[in-house]
Amino acid sequence: MPLRKLRNIGIAAHIDAGKTTLTERILFYTGVTRKTGEVHDGQATMDFMKQEQERGITIASAAISCQWNNHNINIIDTPGHIDFTIEVERSLRVIDGMIAVFCAIGGVEPQTETVWNQADRYKVPRIAFVNKMDRSGADFYEVVTMMNNYLDANAVPFQLPIGAEESFTGLIDLIEYKAYNFTEKGREEISIPADMIETAKAARITLIEKIADFNDEIMNLFLEEKEIPCDLLKIACRDASLKLLITPVFCGAAYKNKGVQLLLDAVVDYLPSPIDVGAVVGTDLIETEKTHKRCPSAKEPFAALAFKIINDPFVGQQTFIRIYSGLLKSGMPVLNSTKGKAERIGRILRISAKDREDISEAGPGDIVALIGMKLTKTGDTLCDVDHPLLLENIHITPPVIELKITPAVRKEQEKLGEALRKLSNEDPSFTVRFDEETAETIVAGMGELHLEIIVDRLKHEFKVDVVVAEPSVAFREAITAELDCDYKLSKQTGGKGQFANVKIRMEPNPGKGYEFVDKIKGGSIPAEYVVSVNKGIQKTILEGVLAGFPIVDVKITLLDGSFHPVDSSDMAFRTCASICFKKGFMRAAPVLLEPMMKIEVNTPDEYIGDVVGNLNRRRGVIESMRRYRKGSQKLNGLVPLMEMFGYASQLRNISSGRANYSMEFLRYSPVNATIQEQALKKLAEKKEQE
């Protein structure tokens, strides 16, 4: 099938907007499934993980292919919960277009804005689907207004609902100016209801006016009051949506099978093919300012991006890739340009949720899984060995919450280590480190639910029973003062001794991370030992000094030093630099940095006082309050993560279960002296107990 008839799309939204239900209906109408699986009974095709079925939410993005109107559609269904935002991030990095699903009652909710911003980052064209039009409180027009006010979406209704809530029966297509009714037998064309003719006419004129802003031919026909051909209007609408000038808005009720076929028509009509997206741009491996283009053609050199890894119990590690150019064949050698090493392609699989099919080759636009990749991780570029390039990586937010984890049975330590290695390979937002001093494994993730799922998978999928300590905040350490520090290491042990002498300047480096500057003159320290000094400091930075947390935002300048022709060594300079750094760090007004979270709370008006008071007690700062919808308000603010444990259940109690919130990491900020003293005391007590 020609590339222009391929659509790579993602379905993304706030949690519980109906993404997975919509996907299930798409699979049913495209003939992939014979019956619709439901989220609430754990039978959804796309939610095939045990943890997804138990909780009724999507945790991992799942890919599946289907056909509609002689077009191939690759669909990625993504999670809505903020703890699994990496799944949305990496999916948006490789798709060409997106269906943004909105709840007709909730409208623009906390995670909606996050997803929208992620799509903006990768310039993904999108259409909107206002779902749950049959629910009490559904308001299509209010959702469109919210999209324009909060997302700056330039949302343009392409359909109007006939009725709302229980009386929602059908849709008016404003492009073709036709009406459809939905029954158990499917959709049927009907006359536009008499009481909606004027509304529909006005809405169609508004649509044409919007499109006329971007299309001179339509502008001329509109000014001359001539009839605008439907095909011309469709072409102009497609062009405007591909250029991100408008967001076409559709509506329906996926659970009741209303509006799904028309949405599939819209995917074909208004979302891009790989040809529409055009060439992908990569960086030259040697001259980093130089770029290379790869057009979506089988004749171009091979280029692909690995965006997801799954450990399958039957076939082993599956590495999901999106191919941008060239042909990929089983057995062919490729270059992992991110790692600078060669890989050989084993099996190529086309994946449909939990089902798989072996294929011998794949081409531009394809999303496939590779078996047998040894080095490739999320965000790595695979390319032709003779035509190397590096594609844009995937943005990964740092983890902010930690757990200490140990196997229930000591002899399973190795089994636990292997399971954690596989899980961290799958999920870049989940990290694992081993504390050698306490002999404990520390895992870090994006939130309590994220780590809860990890622990659940360890127990059921990897059969490792684990004991988990209470969650703790992943602090960072930094200095706030500038100072010079020197240290001389001189040890004689009978044989060859150890000698090193370094003088360094350390200073705060806000927002710029770790920086090392060599200002040695006259060879007072040989070049190979300068490298040793840098390595010694870097190791100490990872381990921390104040409380064992990584140190950030510090600039080190190596000013002077001396060496001994016999007793100096790489290890001596590493040790000397480490001790010098530690001594200087404790004199440079060290502080703990805590993760600050951006929080958004949606609450009914009657609970606003209690919600604000509770956040204030948690050291939260309210930045803005705005009308969310009738009778509700939306609060935006900042709050320290260390104050937010157990907030979900407390918010439920405060608001009788009617308020909801979303939280994501924003930045690290210094804690005040009192909080720092309390935190350090608590950490010391924990170590004593352990």
Side-chain angles (χ1 to χ4, degrees):
M1 194 172 283
L3 264 181
R4 70 175 183 279
K5 293 201 168 186
L6 174 64
R7 302 286 183 272
N8 285 318
I9 66 165
I11 299 181
H14 183 86
I15 191 168
D16 205 31
K19 299 177 300 299
T20 301
T21 301
L22 174 61
T23 309
E24 293 299 318
R25 297 310 184 271
I26 288 173
L27 298 183
F28 175 70
Y29 284 116
T30 55
V32 174
T33 56
R34 300 220 176 156
K35 71 181 187 74
T36 53
E38 304 299 354
V39 174
H40 57 264
D41 61 17
Q43 297 300 308
T45 306
M46 303 299 272
D47 285 352
F48 54 87
M49 286 171 63
K50 172 182 173 291
Q51 293 78 12
E52 294 176 315
Q53 293 166 352
E54 288 174 349
R55 291 167 175 79
I57 62 170
T58 301
I59 292 166
S61 53
I64 200 161
S65 299
C66 59
Q67 288 198 337
W68 183 256
N69 285 354
N70 295 318
H71 284 69
N72 274 342
I73 303 175
N74 292 325
I75 303 171
I76 298 179
D77 175 33
T78 63
H81 198 287
I82 187 66
D83 281 15
F84 309 105
T85 192
I86 181 64
E87 293 289 338
V88 184
E89 186 78 35
R90 56 184 170 191
S91 299
L92 288 172
R93 172 66 184 83
V94 297
I95 58 176
D96 299 328
M98 180 177 95
I99 301 174
V101 184
F102 294 80
C103 172
I105 306 123
V108 176
E109 298 181 88
Q111 183 65 1
T112 317
E113 293 192 43
T114 302
V115 169
W116 200 268
N117 292 337
Q118 287 172 308
D120 281 342
R121 181 182 296 134
Y122 297 117
K123 296 182 172 57
V124 179
R126 66 214 79 156
I127 59 177
F129 181 69
V130 181
N131 193 24
K132 303 188 180 183
M133 281 301 304
D134 58 331
R135 297 282 187 90
S136 177
D139 190 336
F140 174 77
Y141 301 99
E142 176 65 16
V143 175
V144 173
T145 301
M146 290 173 79
M147 287 174 67
N148 286 325
N149 289 347
Y150 303 147
L151 304 177
D152 196 21
N154 199 8
V156 182
F158 277 40
Q159 292 174 344
L160 294 184
I162 299 174
E165 302 180 335
E166 289 180 2
S167 62
F168 173 66
T169 56
L171 302 166
I172 298 172
D173 182 333
L174 296 175
I175 299 288
E176 296 189 347
Y177 205 60
K178 292 177 180 176
Y180 296 93
N181 201 13
F182 298 96
T183 64
E184 290 180 4
K185 295 177 182 177
R187 60 173 167 170
E188 57 183 20
E189 191 177 332
I190 59 170
S191 301
I192 295 174
D195 61 341
M196 289 196 69
I197 288 174
E198 291 305 315
T199 305
K201 277 182 182 175
R204 192 168 194 269
I205 288 170
T206 301
L207 188 160
I208 291 168
E209 284 176 340
K210 288 263 190 184
I211 301 304
D213 288 341
F214 315 116
N215 186 288
D216 291 340
E217 192 175 352
I218 286 179
M219 173 69 81
N220 293 332
L221 289 170
F222 180 68
L223 293 174
E224 292 167 11
E225 297 185 1
K226 290 182 180 177
E227 183 61 33
I228 297 168
C230 178
D231 288 346
L232 175 63
L233 188 55
K234 269 190 181 177
I235 290 167
C237 289
R238 176 180 178 79
D239 187 54
S241 63
L242 296 191
K243 290 176 179 173
L244 304 177
L245 299 171
I246 62 165
T247 303
V249 185
F250 304 86
C251 61
Y255 183 60
K256 295 286 178 65
N257 305 320
K258 296 179 179 180
V260 179
Q261 298 110 310
L262 294 173
L263 183 66
L264 278 165
D265 290 342
V267 167
V268 168
D269 290 340
Y270 305 116
L271 288 182
S273 71
I275 289 175
D276 295 314
V277 174
V280 66
V281 178
T283 309
D284 190 274
L285 294 189
I286 299 167
E287 299 177 50
T288 52
E289 285 131 30
K290 190 176 170 186
T291 58
H292 301 285
K293 286 186 177 180
R294 293 285 185 270
C295 295
S297 165
K299 294 176 183 177
E300 290 264 318
F302 171 70
L305 186 79
F307 70 96
K308 184 176 173 67
I309 289 174
I310 292 178
N311 283 290
D312 188 287
F314 301 105
V315 297
Q317 182 176 291
Q318 298 177 356
T319 305
F320 281 77
I321 64 166
R322 157 70 195 266
I323 301 174
Y324 289 97
S325 64
L327 282 177
L328 181 69
K329 297 181 181 180
S330 294
M332 74 181 267
V334 295
L335 174 69
N336 180 327
S337 56
T338 309
K339 302 278 194 305
K341 295 186 178 176
E343 290 256 48
R344 186 168 290 278
I345 302 300
R347 292 166 63 195
I348 305 173
L349 302 180
R350 196 177 298 286
I351 304 292
S352 291
K354 63 181 176 182
D355 300 319
R356 62 188 78 82
E357 170 200 352
D358 272 280
I359 56 176
S360 58
E361 67 174 38
D366 281 339
I367 293 174
V368 294
L370 307 179
I371 306 297
M373 305 302 282
K374 293 185 173 66
L375 303 167
T376 305
K377 302 284 185 288
T378 296
D380 285 1
T381 300
L382 296 177
C383 61
D384 188 292
V385 176
D386 299 322
H387 299 85
L389 85 164
L390 192 63
L391 298 173
E392 180 190 355
N393 209 317
I394 295 169
H395 173 76
I396 297 168
T397 308
V400 291
I401 185 169
E402 292 185 342
L403 283 179
K404 288 178 181 172
I405 194 167
T406 52
V409 182
R410 187 177 289 276
K411 65 181 181 183
E412 290 197 326
Q413 182 68 49
E414 195 174 319
K415 192 177 175 185
L416 172 64
E418 180 62 20
L420 289 173
R421 185 187 65 78
K422 288 180 177 178
L423 288 169
S424 61
N425 272 348
E426 283 187 18
D427 182 355
S429 65
F430 169 68
T431 62
V432 184
R433 64 186 172 89
F434 187 72
D435 189 324
E436 290 182 7
E437 283 186 24
T438 60
E440 287 177 321
T441 303
I442 297 164
V443 297
M446 301 304 297
E448 291 177 89
L449 179 61
H450 187 195
L451 294 180
E452 182 189 318
I453 297 293
I454 293 287
V455 170
D456 199 50
R457 288 186 67 190
L458 284 171
K459 290 178 179 177
H460 295 100
E461 196 176 313
F462 294 95
K463 307 292 188 247
V464 183
D465 199 14
V466 292
V467 178
V468 178
E470 66 178 59
S472 60
V473 173
F475 287 102
R476 294 291 182 266
E477 300 177 13
I479 57 172
T480 56
E482 178 183 330
L483 64 79
D484 290 359
C485 178
D486 63 88
Y487 183 76
K488 181 187 286 186
L489 175 73
S490 182
K491 285 187 179 178
Q492 290 298 327
T493 54
K496 183 184 175 183
Q498 288 187 61
F499 181 88
N501 177 23
V502 298
K503 181 178 182 182
I504 61 173
R505 173 176 297 139
M506 50 174 50
E507 53 192 299
N509 201 25
K512 294 179 182 175
Y514 171 69
E515 200 176 332
F516 181 81
V517 180
D518 173 17
K519 286 203 172 173
I520 291 294
K521 292 177 183 174
S524 57
I525 298 179
E528 65 266 28
Y529 295 149
V530 171
V531 174
S532 304
V533 170
N534 190 8
K535 284 180 179 176
I537 293 172
Q538 282 186 331
K539 186 173 185 293
T540 311
I541 275 174
L542 289 174
E543 295 167 349
V545 177
L546 190 62
F549 295 104
I551 296 164
V552 296
D553 296 343
V554 60
K555 181 179 178 180
I556 302 295
T557 306
L558 180 57
L559 301 170
D560 201 1
S562 60
F563 75 105
H564 188 281
V566 176
D567 291 345
S568 289
S569 65
D570 168 61
M571 185 51 68
F573 270 95
R574 284 196 195 200
T575 306
C576 179
S578 176
I579 296 170
C580 184
F581 179 83
K582 285 177 181 176
K583 287 179 176 293
F585 185 88
M586 293 306 292
R587 288 167 35 216
V591 291
L592 278 183
L593 305 179
E594 62 180 337
M596 295 297 291
M597 311 300 285
K598 188 168 71 171
I599 189 169
E600 203 167 77
V601 185
N602 298 325
T603 176
D605 289 343
E606 58 262 42
Y607 305 113
I608 192 80
D610 291 337
V611 170
V612 170
N614 185 268
L615 282 173
N616 286 337
R617 285 192 292 277
R618 293 173 183 267
R619 293 193 288 129
V621 176
I622 306 298
E623 292 186 318
S624 68
M625 294 171 61
R626 67 185 189 223
R627 179 66 53 196
Y628 174 45
R629 56 179 186 264
K630 192 174 180 183
S632 295
Q633 293 196 51
K634 179 178 284 194
L635 309 180
N636 288 81
L638 295 177
V639 64
L641 177 65
M642 69 183 293
E643 305 287 352
M644 293 305 286
F645 294 119
Y647 182 66
S649 56
Q650 198 164 47
L651 183 64
R652 275 197 297 272
N653 293 336
I654 290 171
S655 66
S656 304
R658 292 174 62 196
N660 61 68
Y661 81 104
S662 171
M663 201 167 63
E664 65 179 303
F665 172 74
L666 181 65
R667 62 170 182 262
Y668 275 96
S669 294
V671 301
N672 63 45
T674 308
I675 300 292
Q676 177 163 316
E677 193 178 327
Q678 290 171 355
L680 291 173
K681 188 179 176 184
K682 201 172 179 182
L683 288 164
E685 286 171 0
K686 261 190 182 180
K687 281 196 173 180
E688 281 176 21
Q689 290 168 4
E690 290 158 1

